[in-house]
Amino acid sequence: MGMKIEIKSDRVDEYHGQKDGRQFVIRNQTGWLHVDGSQDYPERVKVRIDDGQPPYAPGMYLIADESYYINRFGSLQLGALRLVPLAKSSPKAA
C-alpha cells in the first residue's frame, strides 16, 4: 500500500491567535492524501508550513523519512509532516 499527498495549489491559509499573552501564527496548506487500493477518492489533509518555509509547489509528494519516529514506548509515530517531491519517471528512449 502506498501513500501520496497531492498539492494542488501553493495557497497558504493562516490562523492567528494568542496564548499566554504571546501572538502566534499557524500556516497550513491543503493537500489530498491518496492511499493506493483502499479508497475511491483522496482525503483532504492539512500540511503545516513552518515559519520561513516556502509553500509546497503543486504536484505529488511522498512523506519524508524524517516525519516518522519511534516514541518512548517503542511505537512508530508520525511527527511533523515533511514532504518530498515524487520523482517523475523519465520517458524511455526508443
Side-chain angles (χ1 to χ4, degrees), residues 1-65:
M1 170 175 56
M3 292 190 300
K4 296 179 280 281
I5 294 180
E6 180 180 12
I7 300 292
K8 293 184 178 185
S9 167
D10 61 0
R11 175 185 161 165
V12 174
D13 297 312
E14 292 186 354
Y15 171 76
H16 297 261
Q18 183 175 354
K19 183 175 181 181
D20 300 327
R22 299 174 71 177
Q23 298 285 333
F24 66 88
V25 178
I26 296 174
R27 302 171 66 230
N28 289 312
Q29 201 170 354
T30 298
W32 298 91
L33 176 67
H34 297 261
V35 181
D36 294 342
S38 69
Q39 62 189 46
D40 292 331
Y41 302 102
E43 291 284 334
R44 182 180 176 169
V45 295
K46 291 180 183 179
V47 178
R48 179 101 179 244
I49 305 296
D50 291 333
D51 291 338
Q53 176 187 352
Y56 291 102
M60 295 298 283
Y61 293 82
L62 297 174
I63 298 172
D65 290 345

